[in-house]
Amino acid sequence: MSKKELTCIGCPLGCSLTVDFDDERHEVISVTGNSCPTGDKYARKETTNPTRIVTSSIPVIGGTMAMVSVKTRTDVPKSQIFAIMKEIHQTKIKAPVHIGDVLVHDCAHTKVDIVATRNVDAAR
Amino acid sequence: MKEHDVVIIGGGPAGLAAAISARKAGVEDIIILERSHQLGGILNQCIHNGFGLHTFKEELTGPEYAQRFIDQVEEAKIPYLLDTMVLDVQSHKVSYINKNEGMVTIGAKAIVLAMGCRERPRGALNIPGYRPAGIYCAGTAQRLMNIEGYKVGSNVVILGSGDIGLIMARRLTLEGAKVQVVAELMPFSGGLKRNIVQCLDDYDIPLKLSHTVIGIEGKERVTGVTLAQVDDQRKPIPGTEEHYECDTLLLSVGLLPENELSRNAKVRISPVTNGPVVDDTMQTSEDGIFACGNVLHVHDLVDYVSEEASLSGKNAALYVLQGRLEKCEIPLMATDGVRYTVPQTIDVKTMAPLVTVRFRVGNVFKNRSVSVYYDDKRIMCIKKKVLAPGEMEQVILQKKSFEAYPELKQITIKIEEA
Amino acid sequence: MDYDVMIIGGGVTGCSIARSLSQYELSICLLEKDEDVCSGTSKANSGIVHAGYDPIPHTLKAKLNVMGSEMMPQLSHDLDFDYKQNGSMILCFDKENLPKLNELYDRGIANGVKRMQLLSGDEARALEPNLTDAVQGALYCPTSGIVCPFGLTIAFAENAYANGVQFKFNSQVKTIDKIDGGYKIGLAGGESYTTRYVVNAAGVYADVIHNMVSDKKLEIVPKRGNYLLLDKEVGDYVKHTIFQLPGKMGKGVLVTPTAHGNLMVGPTSKVVDDKDDTSTYSTDLEEISTMASMSVKNLPLRKVITSFSGLRAHEIGDDFAIGQASGAPGFFDAAGIESPGLSCSPAIGEYVAEMIAKVGNVRKKEHFITTRKGILRTKDMTSEERTSLIKEKPEYGTIVCRCEQISEGEIIDAITRPLGARSLDGIKRRTRAGMGRCQAGFCTPRTMELLCEKTGMTMEQICKNKKGSELLEENK
């Protein structure tokens, strides 16, 4: 068993949460320190399967802008962030690009796509 | 001289929302003047997510949020000029410059100020030392990295734990730089808790509260900085100096509403917000000039900017359609922990059924209540577990609540014991 | 011989001498160790054109000060730089020091300074309402002025260039050897040049240069001065340049409007060991505000937009060292040029040029270009003028620096004109882009792009000033 300390990000209160964690079964035993159910939910997710949305930018070839901002379409395991960044860094895309275009499929084997978050027209 | 009904200065989130709202309120002749080569304002470089939770019930990145409003402007065929810098604003007159028309002065029945804000630079802090390359305001670095794709440095120290500094700490780390530490002058962080966790804790970047930079080394390019702890007067404590070798110093030390144009237009500026003093319709002290967004007061959430700007745009339109209203303004007094309110006055006779009063506190408070007084009668008391300077708060006042106070002289908002 | 004259140092002294020398039939080359002219003390000083009451009468300093000061107004028209004769006041805070004001007055008369007046404290306050009540009296000097030190230096340089002077940048002098008929100058990069005459205008390094050839050694001690620069919003806090009578607290600091409309306060004066120590110190900055508060009430310190530091080239004998160096015929010093160096610069230029012309028995050219046009100040144009300009040159219609209202046109001119800027500081000094209240936070990306577009440099090569001050790193 281990004790994990984290700060809840559900609201500005930022309660200090303590999670009793069963390392073998990878399960939460209990959560204390939260002032509301959001904190409990957050603590459980954050200790069993912490995920994040990753945002970055990718160079555009032949576009009216040099870079297109991108994000992981949904959240990805926190442990995969740098693997995702590595693949993003190896990617370039040709203009035009539209919001929502998939620029990288199944990035770093997370089953999550990298999508464009802005439009970039082709330069004339 | 060409004249427009509503002239909006700034095509960022505030200007866009104001334009859409003015059109919805029934004004046809609107024009947006934007100095950059694209609409969207600062959101164009805010490629991180966290925008739109309130407005769209979705978590969007900055550019996506901006696009939602740009689409509405395009659909409504609201005209806008890009690469156009407004140089002067006077009562019912706006002068701008661009490469197609030269210098132009246009008439404006109503003007909406939506110019946003700028960053406080190193020079304004008087950080001693050399003046080498490698000292960046966080927003400038953000622009160079996100819009242009450049690398500003490899070994970074950040001064200021406001959201921009925190966001850039993560961005730089993901782009391969080493962010050694974030120093914060105050004993609390100015940014959202979520950003502390996802930008600093996630990457093991230490946050040193009550610390500041007291020296910068490097003649051509930054080679190091010296941090020191500060006392409760925010003065460096001798003996606490720590030297960090680095090649980049990022500053996230305050945002200042850009009111040079407003000052020239004789608009009254609040010394607390550094933005125009406004009434419940978002009108400034000058007839027909309205304000919204970061130029009015620095916001944390763009959703509130859009709300505030919609109100501004709507009232600018009503001003054009209905003319000037007779005003009987009751002042709002911010005191005892509340630093300021926006608006600063309310006309209780002509106000909308509900008015949102936004405010910030000057310190971190735990287990208090936000109290609203009409003269010396407390009419509202809202318990709050926590209040922080970095989180804008609001109370909603109802028009009918004023009916019982016909001789009302002042509305007060303060923080009291729970 | 590669050249008739080589000038070491591209500050205001070297550039003024270059311009004056270029009136003569001489082949001239100026060597500057940094990437641009005006990179040393010339870019970090008070910008004052002293009227000339301060130097001891009948000294070279006194003669050159008054001469330089009188040359400035016409020169500012001919060479198109910012200069304003705003007048000055020297304040006295103790009754027992009032006689010292009289002394300065008498000195001024002896030096030929015109129209000075002694004022009472009340009369001074009537002219300047923001002076403190502690002011007991003042020496009022209407012929004192303020100048843009970069504008002045760059104007000299561009005019010299137009008249045939060659400029070599990134050219630090490492060795100077006497040879038959002149000197051989060796640079840090390995190149060497031969020349009949040498002018040593190397600022804080003038002693190092001088001591390479002369038996009588020179010592230049750098004296650091820190300044505070305040927002244009308070640029008219005082209209005159306000000095303090040297007293118990030291030489005193000044409070002055600048030629661009800012307010400037400073300098301090501290001897330093390092000839490149241009750092600011918190103690200095505090000292400035304490001392300045003796002169003016409620100094608007919240409006500080930046602080900076400059080094005075203090010759330990406390005088200008102008003339042929002992044991080194044909080697002319223009060294130890600290205050009133800026004011003297036009006069020093003529003085040294005449000296060399006489020694070399050289004639003046038939055709000398006497005027030079600076970069357009579009902010001072009328709307109509600006619109016509933009119709002809659209680049003047896109504003890059919003704090100072500088357009792409001005920046492009700064880069593409002869002796154009090759660094961000170079653009800043020529156009003021980056000098405003946001201190280049907004305009830097676009300014860098324009520099790339017009010079072929890559963004990663763009420097703030000299090599080593690159803003960006290579993205691997």
Side-chain angles (χ1 to χ4, degrees):
Chain A
M1 199 206 61
S2 63
K3 259 193 186 342
K4 292 180 197 270
E5 306 280 347
L6 42 140
T7 310
C8 183
I9 61 169
C11 81
L13 203 48
C15 297
S16 293
L17 309 170
T18 306
V19 178
D20 287 338
F21 198 74
D22 184 336
D23 299 294
E24 271 173 29
R25 275 140 124 220
H26 199 75
E27 264 175 24
V28 169
I29 300 167
S30 71
V31 175
T32 49
N34 54 308
S35 309
C36 78
T38 307
D40 180 274
K41 200 160 159 223
Y42 173 76
R44 285 174 193 277
K45 175 134 204 291
E46 193 58 12
T47 44
T48 52
N49 180 23
T51 59
R52 301 283 186 265
I53 301 265
V54 178
T55 55
S56 184
S57 52
I58 286 179
V60 178
I61 303 165
T64 52
M65 288 185 70
M67 308 292 283
V68 63
S69 48
V70 301
K71 70 178 182 189
T72 51
R73 199 208 290 277
T74 56
D75 46 336
V76 295
K78 193 174 146 194
S79 56
Q80 297 295 88
I81 291 178
F82 282 99
I84 287 171
M85 285 310 305
K86 189 161 178 211
E87 209 171 313
I88 287 177
H89 283 145
Q90 290 162 353
T91 311
K92 284 191 176 33
I93 193 78
K94 265 209 207 111
V97 188
H98 300 106
I99 288 186
D101 282 359
V102 173
L103 306 183
V104 179
H105 280 285
D106 184 19
C107 190
H109 309 296
T110 56
K111 296 202 177 46
V112 177
D113 297 335
I114 306 291
V115 296
T117 56
R118 65 165 299 135
N119 302 322
V120 179
D121 296 327
R124 249 161 271 126
Chain B
M1 186 173 72
K2 199 152 176 237
E3 210 199 46
H4 294 276
D5 284 345
V6 178
V7 176
I8 299 176
I9 305 178
L16 294 171
I20 293 160
S21 176
R23 177 58 68 79
K24 283 202 178 113
V27 169
E28 184 61 31
D29 183 9
I30 302 168
I31 186 159
I32 304 172
L33 302 174
E34 166 56 47
R35 71 180 171 201
S36 175
H37 59 276
Q38 56 183 336
L39 295 172
I42 205 72
L43 290 179
N44 282 312
Q45 65 185 60
C46 295
I47 66 169
H48 50 281
N49 65 324
F51 303 89
L53 217 45
H54 295 252
T55 316
F56 300 111
K57 305 283 183 282
E58 286 179 69
E59 250 207 47
L60 301 172
T61 59
E64 286 171 309
Y65 188 94
Q67 194 63 46
R68 299 279 171 106
F69 288 84
I70 294 170
D71 287 343
Q72 289 184 65
V73 162
E74 298 282 20
E75 216 176 323
K77 294 199 180 29
I78 297 174
Y80 54 87
L81 293 178
L82 300 174
D83 291 303
T84 296
M85 178 82 74
V86 172
L87 294 181
D88 193 38
V89 174
Q90 296 299 326
S91 207
H92 304 295
K93 262 204 293 209
V94 173
S95 302
Y96 63 79
I97 187 172
N98 63 40
K99 62 179 192 271
N100 298 321
E101 302 172 74
M103 274 201 77
V104 179
T105 300
I106 54 175
K109 292 215 177 90
I111 296 170
V112 178
L113 305 173
M115 298 88 79
C117 60
R118 61 182 170 84
E119 296 181 278
R120 181 176 278 123
R122 176 259 181 108
L125 297 187
N126 268 339
I127 302 176
Y130 286 88
R131 293 161 304 290
I135 302 172
Y136 281 103
C137 281
T140 310
Q142 188 183 53
R143 193 211 140 103
L144 284 165
M145 285 184 80
N146 295 349
I147 306 259
E148 333 268 347
Y150 295 113
K151 190 172 181 199
V152 298
S154 322
N155 196 353
V156 186
V157 169
I158 299 180
L159 176 61
S161 69
D163 288 317
I164 312 179
L166 300 177
I167 294 288
M168 284 308 288
R170 175 175 65 189
R171 182 81 175 107
L172 285 161
T173 307
L174 290 181
E175 289 304 312
K178 171 99 186 102
V179 177
Q180 292 188 58
V181 64
V182 174
E184 165 59 52
L185 181 73
M186 302 302 274
F188 48 81
S189 163
L192 302 167
K193 270 279 180 291
R194 166 214 178 100
N195 286 333
I196 304 276
V197 170
Q198 296 191 351
C199 299
L200 300 188
D201 297 345
D202 273 8
Y203 304 99
D204 294 318
I205 299 171
L207 171 64
K208 281 186 165 325
L209 297 174
S210 298
H211 276 72
T212 193
V213 173
I214 60 163
I216 301 175
E217 292 116 48
K219 290 174 184 173
E220 285 90 44
R221 173 90 196 193
V222 173
T223 54
V225 298
T226 304
L227 297 193
Q229 202 177 331
V230 298
D231 59 26
D232 46 22
Q233 302 297 311
R234 308 206 209 96
K235 293 270 175 286
I237 302 172
T240 65
E241 296 86 5
E242 270 183 303
H243 187 258
Y244 286 79
E245 275 184 30
C246 60
D247 59 27
T248 308
L249 174 65
L250 221 67
L251 301 172
S252 174
V253 292
L255 294 174
L256 302 163
E258 266 205 77
N259 279 295
E260 280 73 33
L261 291 174
S262 321
R263 287 196 171 88
N264 283 350
K266 313 275 189 301
V267 166
R268 234 184 92 212
I269 306 288
S270 153
V272 183
T273 60
N274 287 308
V277 170
V278 293
D279 64 22
D280 53 291
T281 67
M282 298 291 129
Q283 184 166 204
T284 66
S285 60
E286 289 300 295
D287 217 43
I289 302 184
F290 297 77
C292 55
N294 278 348
V295 81
L296 177 55
H297 57 144
V298 176
H299 286 258
D300 328 300
L301 292 183
V302 75
D303 302 83
Y304 294 159
V305 166
S306 302
E307 248 180 63
E308 188 175 83
S310 294
L311 191 61
S312 218
K314 175 174 167 201
N315 283 306
L318 291 178
Y319 175 89
V320 169
L321 295 170
Q322 296 168 6
R324 205 182 174 292
L325 294 175
E326 246 341 283
K327 292 251 166 193
C328 175
E329 320 228 357
I330 310 291
L332 274 121
M333 161 80 106
T335 186
D336 290 1
V338 176
R339 275 191 63 227
Y340 73 83
T341 69
V342 166
Q344 284 88 347
T345 66
I346 297 183
D347 183 328
V348 301
K349 300 250 165 9
T350 60
M351 63 185 274
L354 296 174
V355 164
T356 303
V357 176
R358 297 200 161 85
F359 64 92
R360 281 193 193 273
V361 296
N363 215 331
V364 176
F365 294 106
K366 292 213 160 108
N367 296 319
R368 297 280 206 278
S369 58
V370 174
S371 300
V372 179
Y373 285 76
Y374 290 174
D375 287 331
D376 44 20
K377 184 92 198 304
R378 188 166 78 180
I379 61 106
M380 213 188 267
C381 183
I382 306 165
K383 281 200 174 40
K384 284 283 195 174
K385 285 222 170 88
V386 73
L387 295 155
E391 317 256 355
M392 194 182 282
E393 297 283 344
Q394 61 191 49
V395 289
I396 297 180
L397 300 181
Q398 297 190 42
K399 184 171 181 173
K400 59 181 197 239
S401 72
F402 291 105
E403 282 164 16
Y405 300 86
E407 307 295 317
L408 183 63
K409 294 276 181 308
Q410 178 174 281
I411 303 164
T412 308
I413 301 190
K414 56 163 81 166
I415 307 301
E416 294 182 317
E417 296 293 326
Chain C
M1 290 291 169
D2 295 318
Y3 296 99
D4 294 320
V5 187
M6 292 195 90
I7 302 169
I8 304 174
V12 71
T13 307
C15 290
S16 175
I17 294 172
R19 182 206 182 224
S20 294
L21 275 174
S22 68
Q23 294 171 100
Y24 296 90
E25 296 196 346
L26 293 163
S27 64
I28 309 163
C29 177
L30 186 149
L31 298 169
E32 165 54 50
K33 72 170 163 59
D34 289 330
E35 93 292 356
D36 199 356
V37 296
C38 199
S39 291
T41 309
S42 301
K43 72 161 168 41
N45 54 72
S46 314
I48 308 291
V49 180
H50 297 277
Y53 46 77
D54 196 48
I56 312 289
H58 315 299
T59 58
L60 183 60
K61 234 185 218 183
K63 170 176 151 194
L64 295 173
N65 189 168
V66 175
M67 200 164 114
S69 167
E70 286 175 353
M71 287 170 77
M72 274 304 177
Q74 184 60 43
L75 207 55
S76 71
H77 287 125
D78 291 344
L79 297 184
D80 197 11
F81 55 84
D82 288 318
Y83 162 79
K84 199 168 160 203
Q85 202 169 83
N86 65 322
S88 67
M89 284 190 207
I90 303 92
L91 305 181
C92 177
F93 304 102
D94 316 290
K95 282 208 159 67
E96 61 265 22
N97 278 328
L98 283 171
K100 290 216 168 79
L101 279 184
N102 287 61
E103 268 180 49
L104 282 178
Y105 179 87
D106 292 335
R107 236 195 266 173
I109 298 286
N111 286 335
V113 179
K114 303 182 175 61
R115 298 193 286 127
M116 295 180 294
Q117 274 180 268
L118 284 162
L119 304 176
S120 68
D122 288 332
E123 287 171 328
R125 274 181 288 272
L127 282 178
E128 287 285 2
N130 281 319
L131 295 186
T132 60
D133 295 329
V135 177
Q136 300 294 323
L139 174 62
Y140 171 48
C141 196
T143 58
S144 179
I146 47 182
V147 72
C148 171
F150 338 117
L152 174 61
T153 307
I154 291 165
F156 277 141
E158 286 182 11
N159 189 227
Y161 183 85
N163 284 303
V165 175
Q166 285 184 35
F167 283 73
K168 291 191 196 300
F169 296 106
N170 303 304
S171 299
Q172 185 182 17
V173 171
K174 265 277 160 315
T175 57
I176 307 180
D177 299 301
K178 286 194 201 122
I179 57 173
D180 220 6
Y183 293 88
K184 181 170 170 198
I185 299 182
L187 301 184
E191 321 89 285
S192 62
Y193 300 95
T194 54
T195 177
R196 279 168 68 197
Y197 305 111
V198 179
V199 172
N200 173 19
V204 292
Y205 283 98
D207 53 349
V208 173
I209 301 293
H210 170 102
N211 297 342
M212 287 177 187
V213 298
S214 178
D215 50 2
K216 196 157 162 241
K217 299 302 173 194
L218 195 64
E219 191 182 343
I220 305 280
V221 170
K223 275 167 110 174
R224 184 187 74 224
N226 283 184
Y227 295 84
L228 292 169
L229 191 70
L230 286 75
D231 198 306
K232 284 182 173 178
E233 230 183 278
V234 294
D236 57 358
Y237 204 69
V238 293
K239 302 222 165 21
H240 303 85
T241 298
I242 307 295
F243 292 99
Q244 296 173 333
L245 202 53
K248 291 171 270 202
M249 303 269 290
K251 275 192 91 169
V253 303
L254 50 79
V255 179
T256 182
T258 68
H260 308 122
N262 292 89
L263 191 73
M264 193 157 70
V265 187
T268 46
S269 182
K270 303 269 185 295
V271 171
V272 293
D273 301 315
D274 180 356
K275 285 189 194 283
D276 291 316
D277 181 1
T278 52
S279 54
T280 53
Y281 283 75
S282 56
T283 43
D284 278 33
L285 302 176
E286 274 162 32
E287 195 184 307
I288 293 171
S289 28
T290 309
M291 295 203 66
S293 300
M294 278 171 50
S295 300
V296 300
K297 41 187 189 217
N298 301 324
L299 191 61
L301 287 169
R302 297 206 61 197
K303 299 291 175 183
V304 168
I305 62 174
T306 192
S307 50
F308 64 93
S309 171
L311 293 171
R312 304 169 183 78
H314 175 70
E315 193 274 314
I316 58 167
D318 206 19
D319 200 0
F320 286 168
I322 304 183
Q324 286 198 80
S326 163
F331 183 100
F332 295 83
D333 284 317
I337 311 297
E338 56 174 339
S339 182
L342 193 69
S343 321
C344 294
S345 60
I348 293 176
E350 292 294 290
Y351 184 68
V352 172
E354 276 163 26
M355 215 186 269
I356 296 177
K358 203 160 166 206
V359 162
N361 201 9
V362 215
R363 277 192 323 222
K364 274 204 174 168
K365 287 175 181 160
E366 275 201 32
H367 299 290
F368 174 71
I369 306 166
T370 52
T371 60
R372 161 258 183 197
K373 199 87 192 70
I375 292 171
L376 291 175
R377 288 174 199 70
T378 58
K379 216 170 148 209
D380 299 336
M381 294 167 124
T382 64
S383 296
E384 291 75 28
E385 286 170 336
R386 246 166 135 173
T387 301
S388 310
L389 174 64
I390 291 166
K391 289 267 186 296
E392 203 194 327
K393 297 184 176 162
E395 60 269 23
Y396 281 92
T398 306
I399 302 289
V400 175
C401 165
R402 48 95 198 278
C403 297
E404 299 288 315
Q405 275 191 43
I406 309 294
S407 73
E408 288 193 358
E410 281 122 303
I411 295 175
I412 291 169
D413 186 358
I415 300 167
T416 54
R417 60 175 31 218
L419 276 195
R422 289 291 175 274
S423 63
L424 294 184
D425 280 357
I427 292 174
K428 182 170 81 168
R429 289 195 285 266
R430 284 165 177 76
T431 63
R432 293 191 51 75
M435 285 196 182
R437 53 181 64 98
C438 92
Q439 291 288 291
F442 178 74
C443 61
T444 294
R446 185 62 190 139
T447 306
M448 289 174 77
E449 275 169 17
L450 287 168
L451 198 47
C452 288
E453 276 172 38
K454 298 297 169 189
T455 63
M457 285 193 258
T458 64
M459 287 287 277
E460 290 84 358
Q461 287 173 320
I462 305 280
C463 290
K464 185 174 186 289
N465 38 66
K466 51 179 170 275
K467 205 155 188 284
S469 66
E470 286 81 3
L471 267 82
L472 302 172
E473 276 190 25
E474 293 291 337
N475 224 339
K476 283 164 209 102

